[in-house]
Amino acid sequence: APVTWQEWKQAVLDSQSRADAIAVYAYHVVLPDPNSIQSMDPKEVIAWTIENSKIPILGFKPFSSEDGSLCGVLESGLEQGKMAGQLALKILHGAQPSSLEIETGLSGQPMLNLDAARSLGIDVSSDVISQADILVGMADNHNSM
């Protein structure tokens, strides 16, 4: 995984001819250079990534849709909160915390950024739009963009 700004930019540029999309998870930890201890502004990192990529950017965090990612299945705080509550109830009913299994959320929230789709020249049908839990951007008045 790229750690520095130079490595990040090179990975994005290299992906253009080798991938159909770029999945980004943690762009909040990119360092300006190897000697830095402070990460770069994540808005700057993702803005450069979107501007310099001809392939879609996929995101997995709730803020990624606002930052311009085309789509993704976002981690759901609602699902995570429900799972934590269920574990707390088990503990309150006598279960030892050390006996509980680590659980991973399975559903997430489908996200679609219509502005990003438009800028990439991707037509999105109303069927696909209706499947998204989180919609960013505005569709025109037609059935697809």
Side-chain angles (χ1 to χ4, degrees):
V3 174
T4 66
W5 182 227
Q6 191 59 39
E7 291 170 343
W8 181 276
K9 292 191 298 186
Q10 193 62 52
V12 169
L13 296 175
D14 289 348
S15 297
Q16 300 304 301
S17 62
R18 298 184 307 168
D20 294 325
I22 299 172
V24 294
Y25 188 77
Y27 51 93
H28 291 68
V29 295
V30 176
L31 299 174
D33 61 68
N35 299 320
S36 298
I37 57 171
Q38 179 67 40
S39 299
M40 294 182 59
D41 177 359
K43 298 267 189 208
E44 178 184 347
V45 172
I46 199 65
W48 183 93
T49 302
I50 291 167
E51 184 178 318
N52 289 277
S53 181
K54 293 178 174 51
I55 58 177
I57 307 300
L58 312 179
F60 303 98
K61 296 282 192 175
F63 50 76
S64 67
S65 60
E66 297 163 6
D67 288 352
S69 295
L70 171 65
C71 61
V73 178
L74 309 181
E75 293 176 341
S76 171
L78 180 63
E79 179 184 32
Q80 291 173 352
K82 182 179 178 181
M83 292 169 67
Q86 290 169 338
L87 290 172
L89 282 174
K90 289 178 183 178
I91 293 168
L92 289 172
H93 287 101
Q96 293 296 317
S98 62
S99 71
L100 300 174
E101 296 287 327
I102 295 175
E103 298 180 32
T104 302
L106 300 174
S107 65
Q109 294 179 289
M111 178 277 293
L112 177 61
N113 185 324
L114 297 172
D115 292 337
R118 183 178 289 122
S119 70
L120 289 163
I122 297 172
D123 291 329
V124 182
S125 72
S126 57
D127 289 343
V128 171
I129 291 170
S130 70
Q131 305 274 333
D133 286 347
I134 300 170
L135 270 178
V136 176
M138 298 295 295
D140 58 29
N141 293 328
H142 304 292
N143 287 338
S144 64
M145 296 179 30

